[in-house]
Amino acid sequence: MDLILRNANLPDGRIGVDIGIEHGRIREIAHGLVAPAAQEIDVRGRLVSPPFVDAHFHLDAALSLGLPRRNSSGTLLEGIALCGELKPQLTQDAVAARALAYCDMAVAQGLLAIRSHVDVCDDRLLAVDALLDVQRRVAPYLDLQLVAFPQDGFYRSATAERNLLRALDRGVQVVGGIPHFERTMADGAASVRRLCEIAAERGLLVDMHCDESDDPLSRHIETLAAETARLGLHGRVAGSHLTSMHSMDNYYVSKLLPLIAQSGVAAIANPLINITLQGRHDTYPKRRGMTRAPELIAAGVRVAFGHDCVMDPWYSFGSADMLEVAHMAIHVGQMTSLDGIAAAYAGITTEAAKILHLDGYGLDPGCRADLVVLQAADPFEAIRLKAARLLVLRAGRVIARGAARASELTLPQRPATLTLEFRPGSI
Ligand SMILES: [Zn+2]
């Protein structure tokens, strides 16, 4: 072996196991592994997890906070206006520099795979070229997947369709959309159909911003599920946000959930952003806005949780910490059962990896040895503490180290009941 991590706790509840790594891949996981190794690291009962995966992000906007000015109201509308003000001033180098800075931040947090939407409504395709370049540069240490995102509306913007196709021709891997932002419900539905057809023709994945509103009658997820079934895109499509589902009629949702599950469409909620941007027209009671994550999981729909924004026109906070995302998901979605906590952790690791179709992800022998050693005994403690990342490994090589925090925050004894294993359809 090239490396053995000894005495590791795993997210599925296995305790004190050894992980043998050879040629950048996990070779064997066992108790008391006996094998010669060039290097051994005793992680002393800490959680060793596959890396965090962010299923929904905007890398072209990240870290632009304050450019050209701060969002004084904190609303989505002022954020969109700010984005428009910034666009003419952008350069490819500036977008790439911010994106690379964010990728460094991500690696330090054990976040080694990001699906980022990239705006294709700028005729220069400046952000597309910048992020394709960044994708190549970070590939040795971070999997960056790009979604062609017609941010100003696929039919609302005169050149969006042409630009989206140009972006796909240049190598962007996923087809995006924003049907609730089109001028009419009919235009929105037509955009979903056309975009799914483009994905089917080209053999690509789909991930649309879908129903990101408080309108209980915004029903593009229904069209997305129906188009997925019609075109045979099962397992290759995700609906992001789906916040309108929070406000929909319960009877309608009871019919909608099985349709989403049967069509194999995944759902990606963005709890930090949904709780801050939705419900802004409400007085009290004020809606939370996040989609019905526990109910989707119970219906058998694959659910991931994304960060969406970090220090950009829409959201001033964030630090590439997916544990903060899971923490917020649990609170907003009241996912405090043990199954709920396990599902939240899966939503920032294994379930997100499946939505991205990541190759070689996980803790099975043969998987790439991408691992994070956390200062926590299990996923519950990791989420509770937003635990320090002590070591981050990529293909069996340590690429980041973090300092441990004061140990008084952890329990002296691990409670016996805290085995968290996510089972699809549970919760
Ligand atoms: Zn988004």
Side-chain angles (χ1 to χ4, degrees):
M1 304 279 180
D2 299 322
L3 171 66
I4 295 178
L5 295 181
R6 295 228 179 255
N7 200 15
N9 291 356
L10 305 184
D12 64 8
R14 277 179 283 174
I15 292 171
V17 296
D18 300 335
I19 305 172
I21 296 166
E22 198 169 54
H23 305 311
R25 297 201 170 256
I26 295 171
R27 171 84 182 274
E28 192 178 352
I29 297 183
H31 285 281
L33 184 60
V34 180
Q39 190 190 3
E40 294 199 2
I41 301 173
D42 185 356
V43 300
R44 295 183 293 153
R46 263 97 181 226
L47 176 65
V48 177
S49 174
F52 299 112
V53 179
D54 187 353
H56 188 110
F57 196 62
H58 294 264
L59 195 54
D60 49 356
L63 308 187
S64 65
L65 184 67
L67 298 174
R69 59 183 174 81
R70 291 288 288 259
N71 182 336
S72 57
S73 65
T75 59
L76 173 62
L77 285 180
E78 190 175 343
I80 291 170
L82 263 173
C83 203
E85 288 172 37
L86 179 61
K87 235 181 227 184
Q89 302 175 22
L90 284 180
T91 66
Q92 192 175 320
D93 286 348
V95 173
R98 281 202 303 274
L100 286 168
Y102 185 79
C103 289
D104 284 352
M105 198 185 279
V107 167
Q109 298 278 34
L111 169 56
L112 299 188
I114 299 173
R115 171 181 279 183
S116 174
H117 296 254
V118 53
D119 180 25
V120 297
C121 285
D122 170 3
D123 289 339
R124 300 169 296 172
L125 290 186
L126 182 147
V128 169
D129 287 340
L131 293 195
L132 282 169
D133 178 42
V134 168
Q135 184 182 52
R136 282 187 289 272
R137 287 158 74 174
V138 303
Y141 55 90
L142 187 146
D143 295 307
L144 177 60
Q145 190 177 75
L146 298 176
V147 186
F149 177 43
Q151 190 160 310
D152 299 339
F154 186 64
Y155 287 134
R156 231 170 129 143
S157 155
T159 54
E161 180 164 2
R162 189 171 63 88
N163 287 342
L164 181 131
L165 294 172
R166 285 169 62 214
L168 298 178
D169 288 342
R170 289 186 194 189
V172 172
Q173 302 89 12
V174 185
V175 178
I178 186 165
H180 57 276
F181 193 64
E182 306 295 343
R183 285 212 168 79
T184 65
M185 204 65 91
D187 277 0
S191 78
V192 171
R193 276 194 288 278
R194 176 71 188 122
L195 289 160
C196 285
E197 284 167 2
I198 290 170
E201 283 160 16
R202 293 177 176 239
L204 299 174
L205 305 178
V206 176
D207 187 341
M208 288 191 202
H209 285 65
C210 197
D211 300 329
E212 189 183 3
S213 85
D214 294 318
D215 177 2
L217 297 177
S218 184
R219 297 194 165 169
H220 298 299
I221 179 58
E222 180 186 275
T223 308
L224 184 61
E227 286 302 301
T228 300
R230 179 175 75 87
L231 295 164
L233 294 171
H234 192 282
R236 290 164 49 193
V237 177
S240 279
H241 290 295
L242 309 179
T243 52
S244 66
M245 203 188 298
H246 189 96
S247 302
M248 283 173 182
D249 172 71
N250 285 336
Y251 176 79
Y252 173 69
V253 173
S254 74
K255 189 164 160 275
L256 177 64
L257 291 179
L259 174 70
I260 299 172
Q262 284 157 20
S263 62
V265 173
I268 302 168
N270 297 291
L272 293 161
I273 308 308
N274 301 150
I275 192 78
T276 48
L277 291 184
Q278 302 305 312
R280 288 284 179 137
H281 292 239
D282 293 358
T283 53
Y284 288 94
K286 205 183 269 282
R287 285 168 288 178
R288 297 163 188 226
M290 191 173 87
T291 196
R292 304 188 189 198
E295 291 78 8
L296 283 159
I297 295 166
V301 177
R302 179 155 284 145
V303 173
F305 297 102
H307 207 317
D308 200 4
C309 302
V310 169
M311 296 177 74
D312 71 9
W314 298 278
Y315 187 67
S316 311
F317 298 88
S319 59
D321 185 352
M322 295 307 294
L323 291 169
E324 189 178 322
V325 172
H327 191 266
M328 183 59 82
I330 287 166
H331 286 73
V332 178
Q334 297 183 330
M335 295 168 63
T336 47
S337 67
L338 292 182
D339 281 341
I341 296 165
Y345 196 80
I348 56 167
T349 53
T350 49
E351 292 296 279
K354 286 174 187 156
I355 292 173
L356 268 64
H357 289 222
L358 284 183
D359 206 21
Y361 179 93
L363 291 178
D364 294 324
C367 288
R368 194 164 62 187
D370 294 355
L371 300 164
V372 185
V373 181
L374 293 135
Q375 191 189 6
D378 55 40
F380 164 73
E381 199 173 67
I383 295 171
R384 181 176 73 84
L385 297 171
K386 273 79 87 191
R389 283 68 166 170
L390 302 176
L391 293 174
V392 179
L393 287 84
R394 173 78 160 183
R397 204 168 56 83
V398 174
I399 58 168
R401 287 173 194 275
R405 298 197 194 116
S407 60
E408 297 81 52
L409 295 171
T410 60
L411 285 172
Q413 280 178 313
R414 177 187 160 87
T417 52
L418 238 56
T419 295
L420 294 176
E421 185 174 11
F422 174 65
R423 288 169 282 118
S426 69
I427 206 169

